[in-house]
Amino acid sequence: MFNVNGFKATLIQNNRNDENSYYDDQDKQEVEIKVCPYNVDMTVKFGTYTIPEATGYFITKAKVDVREGDQLIINDRTFSILKVQDDWIWNKVANIILAVK
């Protein structure tokens, strides 16, 4: 349910190949995804968790493999993903909300 024209972004996925290589800084994969800026000030705070150290929020499609600690490059700016939250509509995951710093 991602019905907007988003920005093209590069998602750097860290440590996806081997489960025992948590600290391997060479294990990186780059994936092109679409994201949309998300304004948490306009949301209802009932049930929404915000993160104090986050500088921004983005929405992406529900099928994207993203984890905390990955990096997001948008318009030559690099963001670190602090938290990944599911956005549910009608008993299914519609979007993923990324809190970035």
Side-chain angles (χ1 to χ4, degrees):
M1 202 137 341
F2 192 72
N3 294 329
V4 296
N5 293 330
F7 297 121
K8 286 185 181 179
T10 302
L11 175 66
I12 300 175
Q13 298 174 333
N14 296 316
N15 301 325
R16 294 292 203 278
N17 293 328
D18 190 12
E19 293 182 14
N20 297 325
S21 63
Y22 295 113
Y23 304 106
D24 186 9
D25 60 346
Q26 300 298 318
D27 185 10
K28 294 182 181 179
Q29 298 174 4
E30 293 188 3
V31 179
E32 293 290 323
I33 63 170
K34 287 207 172 202
V35 295
C36 178
Y38 182 65
N39 188 1
V40 293
D41 295 335
M42 296 176 62
T43 61
V44 179
K45 298 299 181 194
F46 182 76
T48 302
Y49 301 142
T50 58
I51 299 173
E53 61 267 8
T55 58
Y57 295 86
F58 292 99
I59 295 176
T60 189
K61 294 182 182 179
K63 302 288 184 187
V64 175
D65 180 23
V66 61
R67 297 181 188 166
E68 296 175 7
D70 290 345
Q71 291 181 328
L72 198 62
I73 300 174
I74 304 169
N75 296 333
D76 297 328
R77 291 187 60 196
T78 303
F79 298 100
S80 295
I81 298 174
L82 298 176
K83 181 117 176 143
V84 178
Q85 299 174 353
D86 296 335
D87 189 18
W88 289 76
I89 296 177
W90 297 304
N91 293 332
K92 81 176 209 184
V93 178
N95 301 318
I96 297 175
I97 300 173
L98 307 173
V100 298
K101 181 176 182 180

